[in-house]
Amino acid sequence: MKVAVILPAAGLGTRMMKSQPDTVHSRKQFLVLEGSPILMHTVRKFAQSPVVSEIVVALRGDDIARFQALIDQETLAKPVRLVVGGDSRQESVEHALATLDESVELVAVHDAVRPFVSLEQIAAVIAEAAACGAAILGVVPVDTVKRVSRHRIETTIPRDRLVLAQTPQVFRLPLLRRAFAQAAADNFTGTDEASLVERLENVDVHVVPGSDRNIKITKPTDLELAQAFLAEEAAKKPA
């Protein structure tokens, strides 16, 4: 089975450094973690997966040559292609989708700044999508969830029917293309790929257990946790 991974990495990452000018060094996917950009750590993780066939990274046009030079210095077990992304995550994924060969059966879309997804989770969510057509990683919230209006609580939302969506989000290629086409026709913008697929009739998106370690690095404080996780992963590698 041919599985393509799309990493949308054209965003500005404004939550990480709101006061900084927009440079490659201020965008979260290019922040250096133990000598390499966060995005490279994510690429390496998927390149290690035996169920992944290729990796497509959607970048801003002026970042492609710089990141290609970094890729060329790596010894990766899977091919990595770089494409020009769009102004939004949705546009970036759509651009990457357009470059996929028809032989691709499953597409896994993953946040470029989630480098700590495990190989076991990657395999599990891909296997689920292969069986049912659409699957994402998700975790049950541990905090009590409130719905509010401005600063006033309206109600408490029961957690037993809630999950926090993570990535990878994996879909059969024709299904994901249909979801993007429908979203474009309706002028609909979703917050993730599953939100586009959920709008289609007679399509169920399954949830595979994710992990609290599968963090999305979006704030400066996340970097400290990321450094700890990297140290743990390095300690587990055989000498």
Side-chain angles (χ1 to χ4, degrees):
M1 176 175 293
K2 190 170 183 179
V3 179
V5 175
I6 294 175
L7 302 177
L12 298 180
T14 53
R15 277 179 290 182
M16 181 65 76
M17 291 186 176
K18 292 183 179 180
S19 63
Q20 297 298 317
D22 175 29
T23 67
V24 66
H25 301 294
S26 69
R27 296 197 291 277
K28 58 190 178 185
Q29 59 270 39
F30 292 108
L31 290 178
V32 174
L33 186 61
E34 297 299 321
S36 298
I38 294 171
L39 173 57
M40 185 62 76
H41 288 286
T42 306
V43 168
R44 290 169 182 161
K45 182 60 65 71
F46 282 91
Q48 294 169 19
S49 172
V51 297
V52 168
S53 305
E54 67 170 332
I55 301 165
V56 183
V57 184
L59 294 161
R60 293 174 61 168
D62 52 2
D63 290 336
I64 286 185
R66 183 182 296 106
F67 196 68
Q68 184 64 61
L70 295 177
I71 289 289
D72 291 343
Q73 296 173 22
E74 297 279 320
T75 302
L76 299 170
K78 305 294 165 61
V80 178
R81 290 192 294 109
L82 309 184
V83 301
V84 177
D87 293 333
S88 68
R89 174 196 178 96
Q90 192 161 315
E91 289 180 357
S92 291
V93 174
E94 192 167 20
H95 289 185
L97 275 176
T99 72
L100 296 183
D101 188 83
E102 295 302 321
S103 62
V104 171
E105 297 173 69
L106 293 176
V107 181
V109 183
H110 187 71
D111 296 320
V113 289
R114 285 190 194 267
F116 299 110
V117 62
S118 71
L119 296 178
E120 292 77 14
Q121 289 164 349
I122 294 170
V125 71
I126 287 175
E128 185 68 17
C132 70
I136 71 170
L137 290 182
V139 294
V140 176
V142 296
D143 295 321
T144 298
V145 181
K146 307 283 188 181
R147 187 174 70 224
V148 301
S149 176
R150 296 185 179 178
H151 300 295
R152 183 178 62 84
I153 294 173
E154 292 184 339
T155 187
T156 298
I157 302 174
R159 289 177 298 181
D160 56 352
R161 299 184 65 184
L162 295 178
V163 295
L164 305 178
Q166 296 185 337
T167 63
Q169 301 191 351
V170 189
F171 311 92
R172 291 177 185 150
L173 177 58
L175 176 64
L176 190 57
R177 282 182 168 162
R178 181 157 60 95
F180 269 82
Q182 189 64 55
D186 297 339
N187 197 28
F188 174 81
T189 300
T191 53
D192 63 1
E193 292 65 46
S195 64
L196 273 60
V197 174
E198 292 160 23
R199 302 176 70 245
L200 301 177
E201 294 183 1
N202 302 317
V203 176
D204 293 325
V205 181
H206 292 207
V207 179
V208 174
S211 167
D212 292 339
R213 291 180 62 91
N214 187 20
I215 62 170
K216 186 176 182 180
I217 303 173
T218 59
K219 307 183 299 298
T221 53
D222 296 332
L223 288 173
E224 296 179 10
L225 187 57
Q227 289 168 346
F229 286 167
L230 266 185
E232 289 180 11
E233 288 188 354
K236 292 179 181 177
K237 290 181 180 178

